[in-house]
Amino acid sequence: MEAVSKLDVEAVRADFPILRRMIGDKPLAYLDSAATSQRPVQVTEAMRRFTEHSNANISRSVHTLGAEATEAYEGARAKVADFIGARSADEVVFTKNSTEAINLVAYAFQNASVKPGADPRFVLRPGDEVVVTEMEHHANLIPWQQLCERTGAKLRWIGITDVGRLDLEQVDEVINEHTKVVSFVHVANLLGTVNPTSQIVARAREVGALVGLDSSQAVPHIPVDVTELGVDFIAFTGHKMLGPTGIGALWAKAELLDAMPPFQTGGSMIETVSMERTTFAKAPAKFEAGTPPIAEAVGLAAAVDYLDKLGMENVRAHEKELAGYMLRRLETVDGLTVIGPRVPIGRGATVSFDLADVHPHDVGQVLDADGIAVRVGHHCAKPTCVRFGVTATTRASGYVYTTTDEIDRLVAALEKVRKVFA
Amino acid sequence: MEAVSKLDVEAVRADFPILRRMIGDKPLAYLDSAATSQRPVQVTEAMRRFTEHSNANISRSVHTLGAEATEAYEGARAKVADFIGARSADEVVFTKNSTEAINLVAYAFQNASVKPGADPRFVLRPGDEVVVTEMEHHANLIPWQQLCERTGAKLRWIGITDVGRLDLEQVDEVINEHTKVVSFVHVANLLGTVNPTSQIVARAREVGALVGLDSSQAVPHIPVDVTELGVDFIAFTGHKMLGPTGIGALWAKAELLDAMPPFQTGGSMIETVSMERTTFAKAPAKFEAGTPPIAEAVGLAAAVDYLDKLGMENVRAHEKELAGYMLRRLETVDGLTVIGPRVPIGRGATVSFDLADVHPHDVGQVLDADGIAVRVGHHCAKPTCVRFGVTATTRASGYVYTTTDEIDRLVAALEKVRKVFA
Amino acid sequence: MNLDELYQEVILDHYKRPRGAGLRDPYEGESHQVNPTCGDEITLRVHVDGDKVADISYENVGCSISKASASVMYELINGVSVEEALAKTAEFTALMNSKGQGKADEESLEDAIAFEGVSKYPMRVKCALLGWMAFKDALVRAEAATPAGGND
Amino acid sequence: MNLDELYQEVILDHYKRPRGAGLRDPYEGESHQVNPTCGDEITLRVHVDGDKVADISYENVGCSISKASASVMYELINGVSVEEALAKTAEFTALMNSKGQGKADEESLEDAIAFEGVSKYPMRVKCALLGWMAFKDALVRAEAATPAGGND
Ligand SMILES: Cc1ncc(COP(=O)(O)O)c(C=O)c1O
Ligand SMILES: Cc1ncc(COP(=O)(O)O)c(C=O)c1O
């Protein structure tokens, strides 16, 4: 399989020290990259170098370390902006994760709604509607639910078909003249579905709603160009794209960032401050209160460099093949039902399944005994579970370092699960 | 001087690779620890080891790496809780920095104020008052300002005396029966003042207000015991206490965390979720939406271990000596005026000053040419600057690795500054 | 990892043929417990007669560990005195929280000793304790519902 | 770091004896600029007469670089045509943003070439540009305030 894609998976694997880890006497087969990816030594090293050479707080000093740290941090911003095709580095706000990025946008609506003179696009009133989908990660559901609860707006959603795709027939009805914002998942973390975006974006534009994407599972796996997507904002997270924990990003159009009230407030996001009153700096500073994840930004920049070197088209090709291989091999397991698209089209190398009603906890435990790490549970997508009538699934997910050999080991171990719980 | 304190500063310095850095042809003298501390190799190594051995997402899986990562993360929480004398690890919420910790509390008030049935202690109405001081870092000022703006409550503050202490005579008037919450700085980052807490805490209790501390500059430098302090919450931040960026903490009484509505929402903070409605997990999970800074928690735990091994009493003693030495030596510089307490009592080894009206930018730049890193500017405490009639100060701040020799170099370089700008 | 240590015969047997399953009347206390990390659930009823746990009945969705644990619990504390039931609950809980250090007393815990190995797997301890937490909670509710001392 | 490269004689001289300082009438545009990272401020007025920058007057608080830069700017563009003033502003801005790579043209920038070294210090570039930003902004305001083409 690997011959067709241009990734040299063995060379990639050599960069990931953790892949040499043994679980008991079995080599680790890490099939949980959708939860968090592993980090290449290039990322760890970049962070160590920064910490031991240039560590300082940013933006507010003239000493050499401070200047180096500021350049490293702003350089990371520019690199990330470039990676997703943003027009300007100032459109990238660093957050702690995707979840914070989405909350930042939801709170822009909440805060604008109690602020006299706020930009009307962000003001929600009873009668207004917010649209998500039934396949959201909780990170792109609960912030909007809470927002609706606090403003009186109504939450609506686009459903899922039996084969795990968005039910696009509902789009024109669910998104309508009451809709103020549509926020939907780009690549679904439980189903593995890669959602087509153009129809939803077009409909949102038609009704004058803002539209954004939860791209947490997209930016690491497929080429993402925000300009091409034509959306207003996207959220993504460092730890799923070979980068460190503690950093994520919101990209939003400059003009919108300007219109949004601040979320968290404190140091480094101000223009002037008196005891009575504060005026705020321009974006992105306006949204980055306090000391940001500086070393983590350096790590994320190294991760972006790594992905750039591999080439996102190659990453995508590798995962397409991998998805095909996973689906074909998993379908050979007796009693296994894939939850999500069963063809390697419009999907990533993240596959959820049920195995003969054996509880996913037990599946995961038996696989772990063979060194195979998969995720089990609701994957922070309870509504998707309900939609497919399960409380939990077992999910195997691959990335740039994943081999077909690891999939073969997974399939063999699943046979063992069936025996234990037969 | 060092002989009196029990810190072996040279041994400590050997653990900090960055202290061997040259700035041009001068060895680095890092006197900017109040902005961010440096990290000992023990912290960097603990993070690297974790990343290369146990890296995984936490809480939601049964595989070995997931279990190890969860134990490391929760172990870090327990260690931090222990370090500040918390009754239970569940009282520690990991955030991205101090600023987020304070915003979390301020948003608890904001969200409770629009939530039917919320705990009345968190509900703010016009007529209610919020109290801070004039010596706050912006992180403990602007969130409360914004909160007041959004709820109609009134912000009040305790002033500063000419010698840089809180004007405690104002306490009984400023904190009164309208006060719902008092949040004040424990150790001031511009003035270096260590504030006495008991009178303010007692007054807050008397009027039934909640009371918390911005302990960002306290936890790294003095022994802090939340039970002894008798407060309701404190905020602090990893990067100022030898730990990594990207992590901070809120400590609050369990009972209050239970009463507070969530701040950010998303994965890992729920009990159950449907498209219509969500119920939340217990604290601390309730306040930790999304993937937390996992490797950063591991780093923070290593930093706490390091400080524990030094002994916070020893750290305090070292810094007391250092503060005395800094004040004595700085006063010998012609035209230098210390802004803040001029005696090494009730203050830390953070000293702000004005030098013969030479602009701090220029002071800092000339010092940098000698390898000396100080911070210049308003230090995110503009109201304090206004109080002392300056737009900016030069600030030298020491920590466990700071030597009297570095202070001597600072003093010598300040003489040079005067010559250049005479 | 040693699979056999976790999935002992006894556990798999209780999992496949749970004892005392199903919801029954009468009962004085009912509890619903959820494991938020995996979505496992149990609804459990307690019927107290005098100072005796006269019936424990339950319905649950979950993994082998959580289902077997509920079944073992049923065998162990159904029909014994409230006091003894609470003592066994405390003993089992302590064993589960022992991080692999605890030694189970076969005299007292019977089939439940098969869970000794579970305490080494922090992610599974919650599974093993779900039913027992429901029992404790249901008992509190039963006692709240029943006039003190009175039982007739 | 080479201090002399940054703090050249010319810069220190302009810092200590700023040319054209003070706020004067008449003026058509005024701008107030703040450097949020250090609190430095400038208030600057522009008086346009015909197509000429007839007066630039200013009051500022700041470091040697920002004060010297305003003084040098005064010398360089006070009294020249609006077009030339804008060209010099663009030239100086480009030099400052050159990260130490730019070569200043003495013919055109005169004393301002002393700032060439500043472009190597990213934290100081903002200081050097503060006055120039104020000039550009004040000019825009002056033009907005003056009926197009009219000047009498
Ligand atoms: C007193 C004080 N409070 C709050 C903060 C903010 O900390 P952080 O930037 O880590 O959020 C700082 C540090 O900058 C500080 O010194
Ligand atoms: C689709 C999706 N959205 C959001 C998130 C949340 O990301 P984070 O936990 O980094 O905030 C995740 C990952 O857990 C995800 O898969």
Side-chain angles (χ1 to χ4, degrees), chain A residues 209-242:
Chain A
L210 294 172
V211 56
L213 289 170
D214 173 0
S215 297
S216 309
Q217 300 283 355
V219 172
H221 299 288
I222 64 180
V224 168
D225 183 308
V226 293
T227 311
E228 251 171 49
L229 286 166
V231 293
D232 294 307
F233 62 87
I234 76 168
F236 53 105
T237 196
H239 68 95
K240 293 191 202 287
M241 53 190 285
L242 309 182

Side-chain angles (χ1 to χ4, degrees), chain A residues 290-291, chain B residues 34 97-99 137 139 185 187 189 214 216-217 237 239-240:
Chain A
T291 304
Chain B
N97 52 24
S98 266
T99 304
H137 186 282
V185 68
V187 176
N189 71 306
D214 173 1
S216 308
Q217 298 284 353
T237 193
H239 68 94
K240 292 191 202 287

